[in-house]
Amino acid sequence: LKVIAIDEQLRVIYEDNVHFDKDLPEFKTQSGVYIHNDRLTVTSPVLMWVKALDMILEKMKFSGFNFSQVRALSGAGQQHGSVYWKKGSIQVLKNISSELPLHQSLQACFSVSNSPIWMDSSTASQCSALEKAVGGAQHLASITGSRAYERFTGNQIAKIYSQNPEVYMQTERISLVSSFAASLFLGAYAPIDYSDGSGMNLLQIWEKVWSVSCLDACAPGLEEKLGCPVPSHSVLGPISPYYSQRYGFSPDCKIVAFTGDNPASLAGMRLQEGDIAISLGTSDTLFLWIQEPTPALEGHILCNPVDSQTYMALL
């Protein structure tokens, strides 16, 4: 988990990080994840992410960082991971006591304690069922920007529903990692943004609404568990009072929608039409700003985080 603070000239004034394996050894992760016995299922403990946020904010406080000067806060989360909020969690989120670290208040809030993440490839049967339900791989790509991919959230939700329908029924909200992190700061369920939402096999990338046929193919009653998607640069509201009381944030600090790590790279590198970027990271990617995409069976088309009328192509 990384934090960076910049001033109005975009100069870096603070940065720090928490290393999951090293700083949170009690979760016993390797590279921040659990690789299960089938070698296909890969998850991360949700409370590790929450505890990492507690830890990084305490580090900032200890170093004398002036939270009251922060005007706005946004972020990026690894794409395709999902978080499952248990029924009643919204009340807990709204009424968190500033006396306690977040992870203590939220420990009973998740119906799935280990979140499926981008490395998971255990949903092959759900992928073929989704493609079949909407009329084939190319048709799915034409609706959602990608053919069915194992890591994509719709297929992960379909797996949870088919294996644990009671766990699915106990879930009142499903967040992406990005909207989950935004929810922690907002003290309410943050909406999924268009850009990260287009990595789910669920969003109609042209109309920017959930595809009913895709939702129905994955799980019943899914639309209300996802909420309405929003543009990636939306101001969601002021920061939760918890952070003003515990860390001294201004109550006027705005929370801007969080997005996925790939869209955030396009925004952060200030790509414009005609530019191409190559990222050599955990997974190597090539991405570009694109006006009029034609989704294919290879690669992905995502909504552009900077300009909701245009797109981003990703290989």
Side-chain angles (χ1 to χ4, degrees):
L1 182 82
K2 295 176 274 199
V3 65
I4 186 165
I6 53 172
D7 66 13
E8 61 274 26
Q9 261 75 53
L10 305 185
R11 287 179 301 226
V12 175
I13 55 171
Y14 183 92
E15 56 185 319
D16 208 342
N17 68 80
V18 167
H19 189 277
F20 296 131
D21 298 2
K22 188 166 75 6
D23 298 330
L24 294 155
E26 63 271 33
F27 291 99
K28 299 183 170 64
T29 55
Q30 288 184 298
S31 302
V33 305
Y34 299 138
I35 297 175
H36 296 236
N37 291 337
D38 62 3
R39 311 300 294 169
L40 299 173
T41 306
V42 186
T43 60
S44 286
V46 186
L47 282 172
M48 177 183 74
W49 292 335
V50 182
K51 200 167 181 180
L53 180 61
D54 287 329
M55 193 176 268
I56 211 158
L57 289 167
E58 291 298 338
K59 278 172 89 171
M60 294 175 81
K61 186 177 177 179
F62 183 74
S63 76
F65 183 83
N66 185 354
F67 291 103
S68 70
Q69 289 189 308
V70 179
R71 300 298 300 273
L73 189 152
S74 191
Q78 50 165 297
Q79 283 201 273
H80 317 303
S82 44
V83 174
Y84 300 79
W85 296 91
K86 199 182 281 181
K87 283 195 170 146
S89 297
I90 188 69
Q91 295 316 116
V92 181
L93 200 51
K94 278 183 177 157
N95 302 302
I96 287 181
S97 158
S98 61
E99 301 297 308
L100 295 172
L102 277 177
H103 73 274
Q104 283 183 22
S105 298
L106 297 179
Q107 53 194 357
C109 284
F110 306 107
S111 51
V112 176
S113 55
N114 290 314
S115 285
I117 62 152
W118 69 274
M119 294 162 72
D120 188 284
S121 58
S122 64
T123 61
S125 60
Q126 286 79 17
C127 288
S128 52
L130 176 60
E131 289 183 346
K132 199 169 157 196
V134 301
Q138 181 56 58
H139 196 237
L140 181 64
S142 302
I143 300 169
T144 70
S146 301
R147 67 172 303 166
Y149 280 86
E150 280 89 349
R151 63 186 176 275
F152 275 36
T153 323
N155 309 304
Q156 295 290 343
I157 293 168
K159 177 188 162 186
I160 286 172
Y161 172 66
S162 68
Q163 291 186 350
N164 294 303
E166 66 289 344
V167 164
Y168 178 79
M169 294 308 178
Q170 285 162 13
T171 301
E172 75 181 359
R173 185 68 170 239
I174 300 172
S175 297
L176 294 180
V177 176
S178 58
S179 64
F180 162 67
S183 303
L184 297 179
F185 284 107
L186 201 58
Y189 294 144
I192 291 171
D193 75 291
Y194 294 160
S195 220
D196 207 4
S198 40
M200 299 172 73
N201 278 141
L202 293 176
L203 188 79
Q204 293 178 208
I205 58 168
W206 315 101
E207 296 81 8
K208 320 282 193 287
V209 293
W210 302 120
S211 157
V212 175
S213 57
C214 294
L215 294 176
D216 290 348
C218 290
L222 183 49
E223 187 162 11
E224 61 178 326
K225 294 186 199 295
L226 293 176
C228 281
V230 298
S232 305
H233 42 71
S234 308
V235 175
L236 303 180
I239 197 165
S240 156
Y242 172 87
Y243 297 90
S244 306
Q245 291 157 15
R246 192 171 173 95
Y247 298 105
F249 277 91
S250 160
D252 298 329
C253 175
K254 299 280 184 281
I255 306 302
V256 180
F258 286 32
T259 192
D261 48 5
N262 292 305
S265 299
L266 177 121
M269 294 187 69
R270 302 175 71 186
L271 252 61
Q272 290 168 4
E273 217 186 333
D275 296 339
I276 289 182
I278 297 174
S279 162
L280 304 175
T282 346
S283 56
D284 300 338
T285 56
L286 177 148
F287 52 94
L288 61 154
W289 180 302
I290 193 164
Q291 226 32 59
E292 289 173 17
T294 46
L297 294 179
E298 287 300 318
H300 314 287
I301 301 295
L302 307 173
C303 298
N304 189 315
V306 181
D307 172 4
S308 299
Q309 300 312 304
T310 62
Y311 296 87
M312 160 180 185
L314 178 75
L315 288 170

PDB file of all heavy atoms in Angstrom, residues 80-92:
ATOM      1  N   HIS A  80      -9.736  -5.705 -10.940  1.00  0.00           N
ATOM      2  CA  HIS A  80     -10.407  -7.013 -10.966  1.00  0.00           C
ATOM      3  C   HIS A  80     -10.624  -7.662  -9.598  1.00  0.00           C
ATOM      4  O   HIS A  80     -11.387  -8.610  -9.490  1.00  0.00           O
ATOM      5  CB  HIS A  80      -9.690  -8.017 -11.888  1.00  0.00           C
ATOM      6  CG  HIS A  80      -9.241  -7.435 -13.194  1.00  0.00           C
ATOM      7  ND1 HIS A  80     -10.122  -6.829 -14.075  1.00  0.00           N
ATOM      8  CD2 HIS A  80      -8.010  -7.328 -13.766  1.00  0.00           C
ATOM      9  CE1 HIS A  80      -9.446  -6.396 -15.133  1.00  0.00           C
ATOM     10  NE2 HIS A  80      -8.173  -6.673 -14.968  1.00  0.00           N
ATOM     11  N   GLY A  81      -9.952  -7.192  -8.533  1.00  0.00           N
ATOM     12  CA  GLY A  81     -10.215  -7.743  -7.202  1.00  0.00           C
ATOM     13  C   GLY A  81     -11.582  -7.275  -6.709  1.00  0.00           C
ATOM     14  O   GLY A  81     -12.055  -6.211  -7.101  1.00  0.00           O
ATOM     15  N   SER A  82     -12.211  -8.070  -5.826  1.00  0.00           N
ATOM     16  CA  SER A  82     -13.548  -7.702  -5.354  1.00  0.00           C
ATOM     17  C   SER A  82     -13.692  -7.926  -3.853  1.00  0.00           C
ATOM     18  O   SER A  82     -13.070  -8.823  -3.286  1.00  0.00           O
ATOM     19  CB  SER A  82     -14.617  -8.486  -6.115  1.00  0.00           C
ATOM     20  OG  SER A  82     -14.261  -9.850  -6.241  1.00  0.00           O
ATOM     21  N   VAL A  83     -14.533  -7.088  -3.231  1.00  0.00           N
ATOM     22  CA  VAL A  83     -14.748  -7.117  -1.773  1.00  0.00           C
ATOM     23  C   VAL A  83     -16.248  -7.253  -1.522  1.00  0.00           C
ATOM     24  O   VAL A  83     -17.056  -6.574  -2.161  1.00  0.00           O
ATOM     25  CB  VAL A  83     -14.188  -5.836  -1.119  1.00  0.00           C
ATOM     26  CG1 VAL A  83     -14.528  -5.795   0.370  1.00  0.00           C
ATOM     27  CG2 VAL A  83     -12.672  -5.745  -1.318  1.00  0.00           C
ATOM     28  N   TYR A  84     -16.605  -8.125  -0.580  1.00  0.00           N
ATOM     29  CA  TYR A  84     -18.011  -8.491  -0.341  1.00  0.00           C
ATOM     30  C   TYR A  84     -18.436  -8.026   1.052  1.00  0.00           C
ATOM     31  O   TYR A  84     -18.004  -8.590   2.058  1.00  0.00           O
ATOM     32  CB  TYR A  84     -18.169 -10.009  -0.514  1.00  0.00           C
ATOM     33  CG  TYR A  84     -17.778 -10.425  -1.920  1.00  0.00           C
ATOM     34  CD1 TYR A  84     -16.429 -10.554  -2.278  1.00  0.00           C
ATOM     35  CD2 TYR A  84     -18.734 -10.615  -2.912  1.00  0.00           C
ATOM     36  CE1 TYR A  84     -16.048 -10.870  -3.587  1.00  0.00           C
ATOM     37  CE2 TYR A  84     -18.373 -10.933  -4.218  1.00  0.00           C
ATOM     38  CZ  TYR A  84     -17.031 -11.057  -4.543  1.00  0.00           C
ATOM     39  OH  TYR A  84     -16.663 -11.351  -5.828  1.00  0.00           O
ATOM     40  N   TRP A  85     -19.273  -6.993   1.085  1.00  0.00           N
ATOM     41  CA  TRP A  85     -19.729  -6.406   2.358  1.00  0.00           C
ATOM     42  C   TRP A  85     -20.951  -7.168   2.856  1.00  0.00           C
ATOM     43  O   TRP A  85     -21.930  -7.327   2.135  1.00  0.00           O
ATOM     44  CB  TRP A  85     -20.116  -4.953   2.150  1.00  0.00           C
ATOM     45  CG  TRP A  85     -19.021  -4.016   1.750  1.00  0.00           C
ATOM     46  CD1 TRP A  85     -18.634  -3.693   0.479  1.00  0.00           C
ATOM     47  CD2 TRP A  85     -18.190  -3.234   2.621  1.00  0.00           C
ATOM     48  NE1 TRP A  85     -17.617  -2.764   0.512  1.00  0.00           N
ATOM     49  CE2 TRP A  85     -17.327  -2.452   1.800  1.00  0.00           C
ATOM     50  CE3 TRP A  85     -18.097  -3.109   4.016  1.00  0.00           C
ATOM     51  CZ2 TRP A  85     -16.388  -1.571   2.337  1.00  0.00           C
ATOM     52  CZ3 TRP A  85     -17.164  -2.223   4.543  1.00  0.00           C
ATOM     53  CH2 TRP A  85     -16.318  -1.469   3.705  1.00  0.00           C
ATOM     54  N   LYS A  86     -20.903  -7.579   4.103  1.00  0.00           N
ATOM     55  CA  LYS A  86     -22.013  -8.316   4.714  1.00  0.00           C
ATOM     56  C   LYS A  86     -23.186  -7.377   5.010  1.00  0.00           C
ATOM     57  O   LYS A  86     -22.983  -6.175   5.239  1.00  0.00           O
ATOM     58  CB  LYS A  86     -21.496  -8.920   6.032  1.00  0.00           C
ATOM     59  CG  LYS A  86     -22.323 -10.061   6.574  1.00  0.00           C
ATOM     60  CD  LYS A  86     -21.758 -10.557   7.896  1.00  0.00           C
ATOM     61  CE  LYS A  86     -20.551 -11.463   7.703  1.00  0.00           C
ATOM     62  NZ  LYS A  86     -20.037 -11.949   8.991  1.00  0.00           N
ATOM     63  N   LYS A  87     -24.387  -7.928   5.011  1.00  0.00           N
ATOM     64  CA  LYS A  87     -25.583  -7.126   5.323  1.00  0.00           C
ATOM     65  C   LYS A  87     -25.400  -6.408   6.655  1.00  0.00           C
ATOM     66  O   LYS A  87     -24.964  -7.003   7.631  1.00  0.00           O
ATOM     67  CB  LYS A  87     -26.817  -8.026   5.386  1.00  0.00           C
ATOM     68  CG  LYS A  87     -27.308  -8.399   4.002  1.00  0.00           C
ATOM     69  CD  LYS A  87     -28.705  -8.982   3.999  1.00  0.00           C
ATOM     70  CE  LYS A  87     -29.181  -9.089   2.558  1.00  0.00           C
ATOM     71  NZ  LYS A  87     -30.044 -10.243   2.328  1.00  0.00           N
ATOM     72  N   GLY A  88     -25.745  -5.113   6.689  1.00  0.00           N
ATOM     73  CA  GLY A  88     -25.631  -4.317   7.909  1.00  0.00           C
ATOM     74  C   GLY A  88     -24.316  -3.558   8.025  1.00  0.00           C
ATOM     75  O   GLY A  88     -24.156  -2.717   8.916  1.00  0.00           O
ATOM     76  N   SER A  89     -23.383  -3.816   7.108  1.00  0.00           N
ATOM     77  CA  SER A  89     -22.058  -3.176   7.211  1.00  0.00           C
ATOM     78  C   SER A  89     -22.107  -1.670   6.986  1.00  0.00           C
ATOM     79  O   SER A  89     -21.271  -0.931   7.508  1.00  0.00           O
ATOM     80  CB  SER A  89     -21.088  -3.794   6.204  1.00  0.00           C
ATOM     81  OG  SER A  89     -20.890  -5.146   6.510  1.00  0.00           O
ATOM     82  N   ILE A  90     -23.091  -1.217   6.201  1.00  0.00           N
ATOM     83  CA  ILE A  90     -23.173   0.223   5.923  1.00  0.00           C
ATOM     84  C   ILE A  90     -23.322   1.016   7.228  1.00  0.00           C
ATOM     85  O   ILE A  90     -22.737   2.085   7.387  1.00  0.00           O
ATOM     86  CB  ILE A  90     -24.309   0.552   4.909  1.00  0.00           C
ATOM     87  CG1 ILE A  90     -24.260   2.022   4.486  1.00  0.00           C
ATOM     88  CG2 ILE A  90     -25.680   0.206   5.458  1.00  0.00           C
ATOM     89  CD1 ILE A  90     -23.085   2.406   3.643  1.00  0.00           C
ATOM     90  N   GLN A  91     -24.074   0.449   8.182  1.00  0.00           N
ATOM     91  CA  GLN A  91     -24.267   1.138   9.476  1.00  0.00           C
ATOM     92  C   GLN A  91     -22.955   1.217  10.249  1.00  0.00           C
ATOM     93  O   GLN A  91     -22.633   2.233  10.858  1.00  0.00           O
ATOM     94  CB  GLN A  91     -25.322   0.417  10.327  1.00  0.00           C
ATOM     95  CG  GLN A  91     -26.728   0.424   9.745  1.00  0.00           C
ATOM     96  CD  GLN A  91     -27.156   1.786   9.194  1.00  0.00           C
ATOM     97  OE1 GLN A  91     -27.393   1.935   8.005  1.00  0.00           O
ATOM     98  NE2 GLN A  91     -27.222   2.799  10.022  1.00  0.00           N
ATOM     99  N   VAL A  92     -22.184   0.133  10.189  1.00  0.00           N
ATOM    100  CA  VAL A  92     -20.881   0.110  10.869  1.00  0.00           C
ATOM    101  C   VAL A  92     -19.960   1.158  10.246  1.00  0.00           C
ATOM    102  O   VAL A  92     -19.306   1.945  10.943  1.00  0.00           O
ATOM    103  CB  VAL A  92     -20.230  -1.290  10.758  1.00  0.00           C
ATOM    104  CG1 VAL A  92     -18.881  -1.318  11.479  1.00  0.00           C
ATOM    105  CG2 VAL A  92     -21.156  -2.354  11.317  1.00  0.00           C
TER     106      VAL A  92
END
